[in-house]
Coordinates of all heavy atoms in Angstrom, one line a residue:
T19 N 0.9 -1.3 0.0 CA 0.1 0.0 0.0 C 0.8 1.3 0.0 O 2.1 1.3 0.4 CB -0.9 0.0 1.2 OG1 -0.1 0.1 2.4 CG2 -1.8 -1.2 1.3
T20 N 0.2 2.3 -0.4 CA 0.8 3.7 -0.2 C 0.1 4.3 1.1 O -1.1 4.2 1.3 CB 0.4 4.6 -1.4 OG1 1.1 4.1 -2.5 CG2 0.8 6.1 -1.1
V21 N 1.0 4.7 2.0 CA 0.5 5.3 3.2 C 1.0 6.8 3.4 O 2.0 7.1 2.8 CB 0.9 4.4 4.4 CG1 0.1 3.2 4.5 CG2 2.4 4.2 4.4
G22 N 0.3 7.5 4.1 CA 0.7 8.9 4.2 C 0.0 9.6 5.4 O -0.7 9.0 6.2
W23 N 0.2 10.9 5.4 CA -0.3 11.8 6.5 C -0.9 13.0 5.8 O -0.2 13.6 4.8 CB 0.8 12.2 7.4 CG 1.4 11.2 8.3 CD1 2.4 10.3 8.1 CD2 0.8 10.7 9.5 NE1 2.5 9.5 9.1 CE2 1.6 9.7 9.9 CE3 -0.3 11.2 10.4 CZ2 1.3 9.0 11.2 CZ3 -0.5 10.6 11.6 CH2 0.3 9.5 11.9
Y24 N -2.0 13.3 6.2 CA -2.8 14.5 5.8 C -2.9 15.4 7.0 O -3.0 14.9 8.1 CB -4.1 14.2 5.1 CG -3.9 13.6 3.7 CD1 -3.4 12.3 3.6 CD2 -4.3 14.3 2.6 CE1 -3.3 11.8 2.3 CE2 -4.2 13.8 1.3 CZ -3.6 12.4 1.2 OH -3.5 11.9 0.0
R25 N -3.3 16.6 6.8 CA -3.6 17.5 8.0 C -4.9 18.4 7.6 O -5.0 18.7 6.4 CB -2.4 18.3 8.5 CG -1.9 19.4 7.5 CD -0.6 20.0 8.1 NE -0.1 20.9 7.3 CZ 1.1 21.5 7.4 NH1 1.9 21.2 8.4 NH2 1.6 22.4 6.5
Q26 N -5.6 18.9 8.6 CA -6.7 19.7 8.4 C -6.8 20.7 9.5 O -6.8 20.3 10.7 CB -7.9 18.8 8.2 CG -9.2 19.6 7.8 CD -10.3 18.6 7.5 OE1 -10.4 17.4 8.0 NE2 -11.2 19.1 6.6
V27 N -7.1 22.0 9.1 CA -7.5 22.9 10.0 C -8.9 23.1 9.9 O -9.5 23.2 8.8 CB -6.6 24.2 9.7 CG1 -7.1 25.3 10.7 CG2 -5.1 24.0 9.9
L28 N -9.6 23.5 11.0 CA -11.0 23.6 11.0 C -11.4 24.7 10.0 O -10.9 25.8 9.9 CB -11.5 24.0 12.4 CG -13.0 24.1 12.7 CD1 -13.6 22.6 12.5 CD2 -13.3 24.6 14.1
G29 N -12.3 24.3 9.1 CA -12.9 25.3 8.0 C -12.1 25.2 6.9 O -12.4 25.9 5.8
M30 N -11.0 24.4 6.8 CA -10.1 24.3 5.6 C -10.2 22.8 5.0 O -10.6 22.0 5.7 CB -8.7 24.7 5.9 CG -8.5 26.0 6.6 SD -8.8 27.3 5.5 CE -7.2 27.3 4.5
E31 N -9.7 22.7 3.8 CA -9.7 21.4 3.2 C -8.5 20.6 3.8 O -7.5 21.1 4.2 CB -9.5 21.5 1.7 CG -10.7 22.0 1.0 CD -10.6 21.9 -0.5 OE1 -9.6 21.4 -0.9 OE2 -11.6 22.3 -1.2
R32 N -8.7 19.3 3.8 CA -7.6 18.4 4.2 C -6.5 18.4 3.2 O -6.9 18.4 2.0 CB -8.2 17.0 4.4 CG -7.2 16.0 5.1 CD -8.0 14.7 5.5 NE -9.1 15.0 6.5 CZ -9.8 14.0 7.0 NH1 -9.4 12.7 6.7 NH2 -10.7 14.2 7.8
E33 N -5.3 18.5 3.6 CA -4.2 18.6 2.6 C -3.2 17.6 2.9 O -2.9 17.1 4.1 CB -3.5 19.9 2.7 CG -2.8 20.3 4.0 CD -2.1 21.6 4.0 OE1 -2.2 22.4 2.9 OE2 -1.4 21.9 5.0
L34 N -2.5 17.1 1.8 CA -1.4 16.1 1.9 C -0.2 16.8 2.6 O 0.2 17.8 2.2 CB -1.0 15.7 0.5 CG 0.2 14.8 0.4 CD1 -0.2 13.4 1.1 CD2 0.6 14.6 -1.0
V35 N 0.3 16.0 3.5 CA 1.6 16.4 4.2 C 2.8 15.6 3.6 O 3.6 16.1 3.1 CB 1.6 16.2 5.7 CG1 2.8 16.5 6.3 CG2 0.4 17.0 6.3
A36 N 2.6 14.3 3.6 CA 3.6 13.4 3.0 C 3.0 12.0 2.8 O 2.1 11.6 3.5 CB 4.9 13.3 4.0
R37 N 3.6 11.3 1.8 CA 3.2 10.0 1.7 C 4.3 9.1 1.1 O 5.3 9.7 0.6 CB 2.0 9.8 0.7 CG 2.1 10.4 -0.7 CD 0.8 10.4 -1.4 NE 0.9 11.1 -2.7 CZ -0.2 11.6 -3.2 NH1 -1.4 11.3 -2.8 NH2 -0.1 12.3 -4.4
I38 N 4.2 7.8 1.2 CA 5.3 6.9 0.8 C 4.7 5.8 0.2 O 3.7 5.1 0.7 CB 6.2 6.6 2.0 CG1 7.3 5.7 1.6 CG2 5.4 6.0 3.2 CD1 8.4 5.5 2.7
T39 N 5.2 5.4 -1.0 CA 4.6 4.3 -1.7 C 5.2 3.0 -1.2 O 6.2 2.8 -0.4 CB 4.9 4.5 -3.2 OG1 6.3 4.2 -3.4 CG2 4.6 5.7 -3.7
S40 N 4.8 1.9 -1.7 CA 5.2 0.6 -1.4 C 6.7 0.3 -1.7 O 7.4 -0.4 -1.1 CB 4.4 -0.6 -2.1 OG 4.4 -0.4 -3.5
S41 N 7.2 1.1 -2.7 CA 8.5 1.0 -3.1 C 9.5 2.0 -2.3 O 10.7 2.0 -2.6 CB 8.8 1.2 -4.6 OG 8.3 2.5 -4.9
G42 N 8.9 2.8 -1.5 CA 9.6 3.7 -0.7 C 9.8 5.0 -1.3 O 10.4 6.0 -0.8
R43 N 9.1 5.3 -2.4 CA 9.1 6.7 -3.0 C 8.3 7.6 -2.1 O 7.2 7.3 -1.8 CB 8.6 6.7 -4.4 CG 8.6 8.1 -5.1 CD 8.3 7.9 -6.6 NE 6.9 7.4 -6.7 CZ 5.7 8.1 -6.7 NH1 5.9 9.4 -6.6 NH2 4.6 7.5 -6.9
T44 N 8.8 8.8 -1.8 CA 8.2 9.8 -1.0 C 7.8 11.0 -1.7 O 8.3 11.4 -2.7 CB 9.1 10.1 0.2 OG1 10.3 10.7 -0.3 CG2 9.4 9.0 1.1
E45 N 6.7 11.7 -1.1 CA 6.2 12.9 -1.7 C 5.8 13.7 -0.5 O 5.3 13.3 0.5 CB 5.0 12.7 -2.5 CG 4.4 14.0 -3.2 CD 3.1 13.7 -3.9 OE1 2.8 12.5 -4.1 OE2 2.5 14.6 -4.4
Y46 N 6.3 15.1 -0.6 CA 6.0 15.9 0.5 C 5.4 17.2 0.1 O 5.6 17.7 -1.1 CB 7.4 16.4 1.2 CG 8.1 15.3 1.9 CD1 9.1 14.5 1.3 CD2 7.8 14.9 3.3 CE1 9.7 13.5 1.8 CE2 8.5 14.0 3.9 CZ 9.5 13.2 3.2 OH 10.1 12.2 3.8
A47 N 4.6 17.8 0.9 CA 4.1 19.2 0.7 C 5.2 20.1 0.6 O 6.2 20.0 1.5 CB 3.0 19.6 1.6
D48 N 5.2 21.2 -0.2 CA 6.3 22.2 -0.2 C 6.6 22.7 1.1 O 7.7 23.0 1.5 CB 6.0 23.2 -1.2 CG 6.1 22.7 -2.7 OD1 6.8 21.7 -2.9 OD2 5.6 23.4 -3.5
S49 N 5.5 22.9 1.9 CA 5.6 23.6 3.2 C 6.4 22.9 4.3 O 6.8 23.4 5.3 CB 4.3 24.0 3.7 OG 3.4 22.9 3.9
V50 N 6.6 21.5 4.1 CA 7.2 20.7 5.0 C 8.5 20.1 4.5 O 9.3 19.5 5.3 CB 6.3 19.7 5.5 CG1 4.9 20.1 6.0 CG2 6.2 18.5 4.5
K51 N 8.8 20.3 3.3 CA 10.1 19.8 2.8 C 11.3 20.3 3.6 O 11.4 21.4 3.9 CB 10.3 20.1 1.3 CG 9.3 19.4 0.3 CD 9.6 19.8 -1.2 CE 8.6 19.0 -2.0 NZ 8.8 19.5 -3.5
G52 N 12.1 19.3 3.9 CA 13.4 19.6 4.6 C 13.1 19.6 6.1 O 14.1 19.8 6.9
R53 N 11.9 19.7 6.6 CA 11.6 19.7 8.1 C 11.0 18.3 8.4 O 11.1 17.8 9.6 CB 10.6 20.7 8.4 CG 11.1 22.1 8.0 CD 10.2 23.2 8.5 NE 8.9 23.2 7.9 CZ 7.8 23.1 8.6 NH1 7.8 22.9 10.0 NH2 6.7 23.1 8.0
F54 N 10.1 17.7 7.6 CA 9.4 16.5 7.9 C 10.0 15.3 7.2 O 10.5 15.4 6.0 CB 7.9 16.5 7.5 CG 7.1 17.5 8.4 CD1 7.7 18.5 9.2 CD2 5.8 17.5 8.3 CE1 7.0 19.4 10.0 CE2 4.9 18.4 9.1 CZ 5.6 19.3 9.9
T55 N 9.9 14.1 7.8 CA 10.4 12.9 7.1 C 9.4 11.8 7.4 O 9.1 11.5 8.5 CB 11.8 12.4 7.6 OG1 12.8 13.5 7.5 CG2 12.3 11.2 6.9
I56 N 9.0 11.2 6.3 CA 8.0 10.1 6.4 C 8.8 8.8 6.3 O 9.7 8.6 5.5 CB 6.9 10.1 5.4 CG1 5.8 9.1 5.7 CG2 7.4 10.0 4.0 CD1 4.6 9.3 4.9
S57 N 8.4 7.7 7.1 CA 9.0 6.4 7.0 C 8.1 5.4 7.2 O 7.0 5.6 7.8 CB 10.3 6.3 8.0 OG 9.8 6.4 9.2

């Protein structure tokens, strides 16, 4: 599976924070790149 983290602020849309595929490929929101690490 692909697993990941999203976040939501009240009144706003849920947004992708980071996700990781079955092969280990990662994707991050621009706002968290360099600060967050998904594993």
